[in-house]
């Protein structure tokens, strides 16, 4: 068995970095897929639905690949937005090109309407390792390599002043990497989950699973920024770099498949949820005002600016730092501190076809 560290990263949730000066594998092909799904519930019964999907290069040969699903009831003051993006990592100028980006917002003032939603982005890469890079190894040998995953984003639960029970409101972020090679069954080489669930008495529980780090995750109660908010619990994880080991064959092409998805549900009557993964925050005031009102929008944007330059959240977990997690926080670059949560709310009233603005530099 030959060992070598290979920095071959999916930017999943994420973005993906494949630095050519370190990568020992040849990328022979890459495909991507994005989906967004929303279901409306009226008094517990299924109402309207919206589902969109695109695949690169099958249904679209142009990158970035983007889909947006929307369900909006202006009369009932209820709205849901799910969006997903797969961008070309080879054209980015940063190590973290953010080829994966997800946004999901579910909110309803109506006592009858609630939503469930899902946003997913995935990438499949065909990779070949040359024996010459692992001398004296030969074709057919198995080598130890290390993959890299970048995670950044935020999850949030928010509610009005009259709400005390958040039961039924939930968000789950799940990131997986699968390896497929000839003659072997597909195997999972990486999985990480972060789950946020609402409960009675305005309780919000946060649980990490798989290899999701328990350090570098912060939570803050931001409800004090506006009198309309009784709950605004934000869970954020500024840029994390996670290394994970796996074994791969030499001289044989194999496939790495990375997927990041967010599943969420809100409840009727002023309980909303939001998720933002790998998406920059832009043009907040107008969109927030459409759902929260102009005074609230002004306060929320001001809070956003303050949190962006000086985050104030407390650690979400009390565990010791993970050995395999290198955490970097860059407030000046806006890498998804608490401002990301507010950015998610901005999409509730969004009318533009493209919710994303690709960031290639701070």
């Amino acid at each position: 068995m030959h060992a070598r560290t290979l920095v071959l990263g999916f930017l999943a949730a994420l973005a993906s970095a494949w630095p050519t000066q370190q990568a020992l594998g040849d990328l022979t092909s890459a495909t991507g897929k994005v989906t967004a799904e929303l279901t409306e519930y009226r008094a517990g019964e299924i109402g309207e639905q919206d589902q969109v999907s695109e695949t690169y290069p099958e249904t679209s040969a142009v990158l970035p690949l983007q889909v947006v699903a929307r369900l909006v009831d202006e009369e009932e003051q209820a709205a849901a937005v799910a969006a997903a993006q797969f961008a070309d990592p080879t054209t980015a100028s940063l190590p973290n090109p953010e080829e994966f980006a997800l946004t999901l917002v579910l909110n309803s003032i109506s006592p009858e309407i609630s939503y469930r939603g899902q946003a997913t982005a995935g990438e499949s890469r065909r990779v070949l390792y040359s024996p010459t890079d692992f001398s004296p190894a030969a074709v057919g040998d198995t080598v130890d390599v290390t993959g890299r995953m970048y995670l950044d984003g935020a999850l949030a639960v928010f509610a009005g002043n009259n709400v005390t029970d958040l039961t039924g409101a939930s968000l789950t972020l799940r990131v997986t990497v699968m390896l497929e090679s000839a003659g072997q069954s597909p195997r999972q080489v990486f999985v990480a989950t972060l789950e946020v669930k609402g409960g009675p008495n305005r309780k919000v529980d946060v649980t990490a699973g798989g290899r999701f780090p328990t350090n570098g995750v912060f939570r803050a109660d931001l409800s004090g920024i506006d009198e309309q908010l009784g709950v605004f619990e934000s869970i954020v994880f500024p840029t994390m770099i996670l290394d994970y080991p796996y074994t791969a064959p030499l001289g044989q092409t194999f496939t790495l498949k990375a997927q990041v998805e967010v599943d969420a549900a809100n409840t009727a009557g002023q309980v909303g949820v939001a998720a933002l993964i790998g998406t920059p925050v832009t043009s907040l005031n107008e969109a927030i005002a459409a759902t929260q009102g102009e005074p609230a929008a002004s306060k929320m944007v001001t809070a956003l600016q303050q949190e962006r330059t000086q985050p104030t959240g407390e650690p979400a977990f009390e565990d010791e730092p993970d050995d395999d997690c290198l955490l970097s926080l860059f407030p000046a670059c806006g890498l998804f501190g608490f401002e990301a949560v507010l950015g998610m709310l901005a999409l509730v009233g969004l009318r533009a076809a493209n919710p994303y603005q690709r960031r290639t530099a701070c």
Side-chain angles (χ1 to χ4, degrees):
M1 180 76 73
H2 299 270
R4 186 75 64 90
T5 296
L6 172 68
V7 179
L8 193 65
F10 280 96
L11 307 198
L14 337 183
S16 185
W18 302 67
T20 56
Q21 69 273 18
Q22 294 178 310
L24 305 178
D26 294 324
L27 175 62
T28 63
S29 65
T31 62
K33 183 177 181 179
V34 289
T35 61
E37 303 177 26
L38 294 172
T39 300
E40 173 196 73
Y41 293 86
R42 289 181 177 261
E45 299 294 327
I46 294 179
E48 294 186 20
Q49 295 179 294
D50 190 14
Q51 178 177 348
V52 287
S53 177
E54 292 280 2
T55 303
Y56 171 82
E58 285 80 3
T59 64
S60 175
V62 179
L63 294 176
L65 198 66
Q66 299 170 335
V67 294
V68 183
R70 288 186 182 84
L71 294 177
V72 180
D73 190 324
E74 295 182 356
E75 183 177 347
E76 296 287 343
Q77 292 184 281
V81 177
Q85 170 178 284
F86 169 69
D88 184 355
T90 64
T91 62
S93 60
L94 294 180
N96 182 344
E98 295 184 352
E99 80 246 43
F100 294 167
L102 305 177
T103 303
L104 185 61
V105 184
L106 313 176
N107 192 20
S108 174
I109 305 302
S110 167
E112 297 291 323
I113 298 176
S114 63
Y115 299 100
R116 295 193 67 89
Q118 181 183 75
T120 304
E123 178 181 357
S124 178
R125 295 187 175 194
R126 297 282 288 169
V127 181
L128 176 66
Y129 293 153
S130 171
T132 59
D133 291 325
F134 292 85
S135 180
V139 172
D141 286 351
T142 298
V143 295
D144 294 326
V145 292
T146 299
R148 176 161 289 178
M149 185 73 73
Y150 293 76
L151 297 174
D152 53 65
L155 308 177
V157 177
F158 55 96
N161 282 313
N162 296 327
V163 177
T164 58
D165 192 354
L166 305 176
T167 302
S170 66
L171 304 110
T172 301
L173 166 65
R174 181 179 177 85
V175 183
T176 58
V177 179
M178 300 291 296
L179 187 149
E180 298 178 0
S181 60
Q184 296 186 1
S185 299
R187 55 191 170 94
Q188 187 179 82
V189 297
F190 180 84
V191 60
T193 60
L194 184 65
E195 187 174 28
V196 179
K197 282 189 174 182
N201 301 315
R202 297 182 173 176
K203 185 178 182 182
V204 176
D205 291 322
V206 185
T207 305
R211 300 195 66 184
F212 202 100
T214 53
N215 70 306
V217 183
F218 305 93
R219 64 184 297 170
D221 176 7
L222 302 181
S223 60
I225 66 173
D226 188 83
E227 60 185 10
Q228 298 181 44
L229 294 172
V231 176
F232 192 173
E233 192 74 17
S234 62
I235 313 300
V236 302
F237 39 100
T239 302
M240 297 174 172
I241 303 175
L242 307 176
D243 289 342
Y244 59 94
Y246 65 96
T247 59
L250 279 182
Q252 301 174 9
T253 302
F254 65 95
T255 302
L256 284 175
K257 294 183 176 181
Q259 179 169 292
V260 53
E261 62 181 290
V262 174
D263 292 282
N266 79 315
T267 60
Q270 302 185 54
V271 179
V273 297
L276 183 67
I277 309 300
T279 304
V281 179
T282 58
S283 305
L284 296 181
N285 197 83
E286 181 179 355
I288 295 177
T291 55
Q292 305 293 126
E294 185 62 42
S298 178
K299 294 176 183 177
M300 293 172 76
V301 171
T302 298
L304 162 63
Q305 299 293 348
Q306 293 173 346
E307 292 292 346
R308 184 172 185 173
T309 57
Q310 189 174 359
T312 61
E314 298 294 329
F317 304 100
E318 297 180 355
D319 295 359
E320 291 297 317
D322 296 85
D323 292 336
D324 61 352
C325 175
L326 173 62
L327 170 67
S328 299
L329 175 61
F330 304 101
C333 294
L335 288 182
F336 318 121
F338 304 112
E339 71 271 18
V341 180
L342 301 179
M344 294 181 272
L345 298 179
L347 288 179
V348 173
L350 194 62
R351 293 293 186 270
N354 180 2
Y356 298 106
Q357 177 179 332
R358 183 91 176 274
R359 186 184 76 240
T360 57
C362 291

